[in-house]
Amino acid sequence: MKPTSDGTTAAESTYVPELHVRNVTVRFGGLAALTDVSFTVKPGTIHALIGPNGAGKSTCFNVVSGLYPVDEGDVRFGPSDLMSTAPHQRVSLGIGRAFQNTALSGHVTVLDNVMLGRHALTRGGFLLAGLRSPRMRKEQQLHLDRVVEICEFLGLGDHLQRPVGQLSYGDQKRVDVARALATEPKLLMLDEPAAGMNDAETSVMAQLISDIRSSLGISVLLVEHDMSLVMSIADHVTVLDFGRGIADGTPSQIRTSPEVIRAYLGGGEGPAVLQEELS
Amino acid sequence: MALALPLYVSEVWLRVFEYAMVGAVAAIGLTLLSGHCGQLSLGTPFFMLVGGTAYAALAADAEAGSDLVGIGLPPVIAIVGAVVVSSLAGLAFAPVAGRVSGIYLAVATLSLVFLGLYLGQRFTEFTGGAATGRPAPPFTIFGFSLTTREPELTVLGVPFGAQERMWYLFLILVIGGIFLALGAVRSRPGRSWRAVRDNPASAAAMGVNVARARATAFAVSAGYAGLAGVMMVLWFGLLKADENEFQGSWSIAAAISLLAIVIIGGLGSVWGAVLGAAFVFGLPLALRLLVPSVPLLASITEGSGGFTPSVITAFAYGSLIVLVVIFEPGGLAAIGRRITARFGR
Ligand SMILES: Nc1ncnc2c1ncn2[C@@H]1O[C@H](COP(=O)(O)OP(=O)(O)O)[C@@H](O)[C@H]1O
Ligand SMILES: [Mg+2]
């Protein structure tokens, strides 16, 4: 994967901001999904967010992309205060994400789904599009080329014109990752990108994620249940349990943390892989 | 073929096609709104009324001794003005549309039909009221009328009267409407509408301003409706407020017909909307012309169990909707795609 070189991105600079999540609490009715959670994603790192089901990982993602309101605490991305940034404006700051349950348009082609990722990078509304403004068409073609490049990088080259709903679950996850990548993010958030994939596909995905980081120099915030994937590619790990941060450190520090062992072994819910990984 | 039609077809048949084109323009707007942006609307007739009224008021000359508002603008500018005014009306309604969706939005938009009924009868200086209405200002461009027979013109021995000329005017408007809609649907705005329809949260995460996308779709669809309203007024040669909410050009019946068009045509399909309009708007008029000459039809309507041509078509498109919903949810558009896939290339 090469960085864009054709001037299609708004923010051409290679500056990657730090993501600060500070003392964030999110409540749904009586239930606290997150309680006083803090962590920092350092520029250019792969930062994993792990924890048992229901720990609040996806909620963290939704806080950062602005889909859930925050009851306490705040989130900053470099100099920008995300609390005062509308959800749709966060893309332009460089926050791109994929969803745990892929949020794609099933009847729409792969290419068209991924092109949505270029929305904030392009211009033109109903009249310009309807009148087929030459400028808009030229811009569109430029972005289409980049989108094809991204799809091929993710191994979707053969499916470009197929409706997403016809693809396997693993391929749909890849389309969702491609779409997030198409926003040219500085911070790429991936929620269980390897869910539903077999071992071979999972290791391909792991390789893709580290390629993305090393070639684009961006940060990756990763939620993943497959512990071998997490432990092999993450630089830093934050562990959540029942909405609280219980550990934060390098993979080797996490492996030996008593809280983590208790959370995973005691809860009985944790993936068996981690138990193997921990032993 | 369409271009030469007035040379072969009689005036009464041209009027049938013209009426279908009115429905097509309104339905294209609706299929963008409901099919692509996922907002169900029954309010289209209201925006048609707004457009038709705006055209009449903008294009008519002020006359001494008349209460009717007339600004006296050139008709071309009046049409553009009417489209702008109805789009703005759509935009004004957008905040409501942003808050409710699905069946609730359908009910909320239906209330617009009642608003239109009230306003139409209340502001007779604009609409002419429900009793007499007001004459449609003729559509003239550079002194050449496209809706009356002034000045006289004969092409290949066929006199070009009002209907022949209106045919071309309507054809240009429909083709323009199709052209704009297809361009929008196939690029950035259409993409953002479909994303909002399928998953507003993920659309926002991809940088789409969801409220704005919805509002734009509403404004665009209202603009199409407004243009269709202008065409309706030109077609009747008259702008008239409805007498009640159930019948008339701006009524609940019209709202349901338009929804029927987009469902029969295939929700979201621009060409489907055109075909659907031919069925729902064109068929009743066509049957009325055919009935006297086709013995079977004549015998059905003769005995008069209430089987007038419009009742027959009401049944026809009612059952067509049921068939489409059961057997081909993609509508006429999907059937067309299958046929071209089999016989095409
Ligand atoms: N939109 C929501 N409404 C109500 N409760 C929610 C919502 N989203 C998440 N939760 C609750 O918050 C907790 C954390 O969920 P989530 O962040 O999805 O966990 P994870 O991704 O770690 O499995 C769960 O108890 C879940 O039921
Ligand atoms: Mg989750």
Side-chain angles (χ1 to χ4, degrees):
Chain A
M1 181 88 266
K2 291 196 302 287
T4 42
S5 49
D6 52 16
T8 47
T9 36
E12 199 72 34
S13 79
T14 52
Y15 162 69
V16 175
E18 233 172 26
L19 176 76
H20 294 281
V21 174
R22 289 194 303 214
N23 311 105
V24 166
T25 297
V26 173
R27 295 187 198 94
F28 293 109
L31 178 113
L34 293 177
T35 309
D36 200 23
V37 169
S38 300
F39 61 88
T40 297
V41 179
K42 291 262 164 50
T45 60
I46 295 178
H47 190 124
L49 203 53
I50 65 170
N53 276 328
K57 308 178 296 291
S58 297
T59 302
C60 270
F61 271 35
N62 288 335
V63 163
V64 175
S65 48
L67 302 180
Y68 285 177
V70 171
D71 290 295
E72 283 160 42
D74 66 354
V75 184
R76 303 190 63 84
F77 192 53
S80 315
D81 174 14
L82 293 190
M83 298 295 95
S84 57
T85 311
H88 70 269
Q89 290 167 336
R90 300 183 189 199
V91 187
S92 309
L93 294 178
I95 296 177
R97 73 168 291 184
F99 289 77
Q100 178 173 353
N101 306 307
T102 55
L104 305 161
S105 296
H107 297 294
V108 173
T109 63
V110 169
L111 215 49
D112 225 33
N113 267 287
V114 181
M115 271 301 276
L116 183 68
R118 308 305 279 188
H119 186 83
L121 298 169
T122 48
R123 289 285 157 267
F126 177 79
L127 277 181
L128 281 182
L131 293 170
R132 286 136 175 101
S133 123
R135 229 185 109 248
M136 199 173 161
R137 300 192 75 162
K138 211 173 129 219
E139 184 188 64
Q140 174 126 336
Q141 190 54 51
L142 220 55
H143 286 268
L144 203 58
D145 293 344
R146 173 65 173 167
V147 160
V148 170
E149 190 186 352
I150 290 171
C151 287
E152 281 170 353
F153 171 72
L154 280 153
L156 295 163
D158 294 338
H159 302 313
L160 296 178
Q161 298 298 346
R162 286 180 66 191
V164 163
Q166 292 180 2
L167 302 185
S168 70
Y169 187 69
D171 280 338
Q172 295 193 19
K173 294 292 293 187
R174 271 186 276 269
V175 175
D176 207 15
V177 174
R179 191 174 70 166
L181 209 49
T183 66
E184 304 292 344
K186 304 288 184 191
L187 169 69
L188 176 64
M189 303 200 290
L190 304 176
D191 200 345
E192 307 198 16
M197 293 185 180
N198 61 30
D199 285 352
E201 289 174 319
T202 301
S203 64
V204 170
M205 182 52 81
Q207 190 57 48
L208 286 174
I209 294 170
S210 40
D211 280 356
I212 289 169
R213 189 269 305 268
S214 56
S215 55
L216 300 180
I218 64 177
S219 320
V220 177
L221 182 58
L222 173 70
V223 167
E224 186 46 62
H225 271 304
D226 188 311
M227 284 307 134
S228 57
L229 187 157
V230 168
M231 294 299 170
S232 64
I233 66 171
D235 303 302
H236 199 98
V237 182
T238 298
V239 188
L240 295 180
D241 191 26
F242 291 112
R244 290 174 192 277
I246 57 165
D248 193 275
T250 62
S252 53
Q253 287 169 331
I254 293 302
R255 225 173 257 146
T256 53
S257 156
E259 286 88 352
V260 177
I261 294 171
R262 202 175 312 122
Y264 272 90
L265 300 182
E269 248 220 277
V273 217
L274 182 65
Q275 298 176 21
E276 284 163 30
E277 204 64 38
L278 290 168
S279 57
Chain B
M1 191 186 77
L3 276 177
L5 203 65
L7 297 176
Y8 302 104
V9 170
S10 67
E11 279 200 15
V12 280
W13 275 102
L14 284 181
R15 280 187 69 73
V16 174
F17 285 106
E18 285 161 14
Y19 193 61
M21 289 197 267
V22 176
V25 169
I28 291 171
L30 184 58
T31 214
L32 295 181
L33 179 68
S34 301
H36 289 268
C37 202
Q39 305 189 90
L40 201 57
S41 171
L42 288 168
T44 312
F46 171 77
F47 298 109
M48 291 173 71
L49 174 61
V50 170
T53 306
Y55 173 73
L58 290 174
D61 292 318
E63 279 171 41
S66 160
D67 292 341
L68 294 173
V69 174
I71 312 282
L73 292 177
V76 182
I77 297 180
I79 285 201
V80 175
V83 171
V84 170
V85 167
S86 38
S87 296
L88 290 177
L91 214 51
F93 187 74
V96 179
R99 275 188 185 75
V100 290
S101 61
I103 194 75
Y104 299 99
L105 181 59
V107 172
T109 49
L110 188 59
S111 69
L112 286 174
V113 171
F114 290 89
L115 181 67
L117 182 73
Y118 168 77
L119 294 177
Q121 295 182 355
R122 169 76 183 70
F123 294 98
T124 51
E125 62 271 38
F126 285 97
T127 63
T132 58
R134 66 185 288 180
F139 187 86
T140 344
I141 187 160
F142 302 127
F144 184 82
S145 172
L146 283 167
T147 50
T148 65
R149 50 182 78 248
E150 300 296 319
E152 277 189 29
L153 179 71
T154 308
V155 176
L156 300 178
V158 178
F160 259 47
Q163 293 314 317
E164 283 79 5
R165 300 173 190 197
M166 201 185 290
W167 163 267
Y168 286 110
L169 173 64
F170 280 22
L171 198 62
I172 290 169
L173 295 178
V174 171
I175 290 175
I178 295 172
F179 180 78
L180 284 181
L182 287 179
V185 157
R186 287 169 188 168
S187 67
R188 188 173 181 270
R191 238 174 349 245
S192 63
W193 288 340
R194 290 185 290 275
V196 166
R197 171 195 69 191
D198 291 339
N199 194 325
S202 95
M206 290 300 124
V208 177
N209 184 338
V210 174
R212 199 170 128 184
R214 286 197 173 124
T216 309
F218 236 94
V220 166
S221 140
Y224 273 91
L227 180 60
V230 175
M231 293 164 76
M232 187 73 97
V233 167
L234 289 173
W235 190 81
F236 275 112
L238 181 77
L239 165 65
K240 200 166 97 46
D242 285 345
E243 281 158 34
N244 61 53
E245 62 271 45
F246 299 113
Q247 305 170 305
S249 304
W250 335 108
S251 65
I252 294 177
I256 292 174
S257 299
L258 288 165
L259 205 58
I261 291 179
V262 298
I263 292 173
I264 292 173
L267 212 51
S269 164
V270 174
W271 288 109
V274 176
L275 285 178
F279 263 94
V280 176
F281 270 51
L283 205 54
L285 300 189
L287 277 182
R288 206 166 295 161
L289 293 178
L290 287 175
V291 162
S293 54
V294 180
L296 178 67
L297 285 174
S299 69
I300 294 175
T301 49
E302 194 124 301
S304 105
F307 282 106
T308 61
S310 52
V311 170
I312 296 176
T313 42
F315 277 119
Y317 85 74
S319 25
L320 205 57
I321 291 180
V322 174
L323 290 178
V324 161
V325 169
I326 294 176
F327 294 110
E328 184 47 274
L332 295 175
I335 296 172
R337 269 195 299 276
R338 272 215 299 274
I339 293 173
T340 44
R342 182 164 305 175
F343 298 107
R345 82 196 74 125

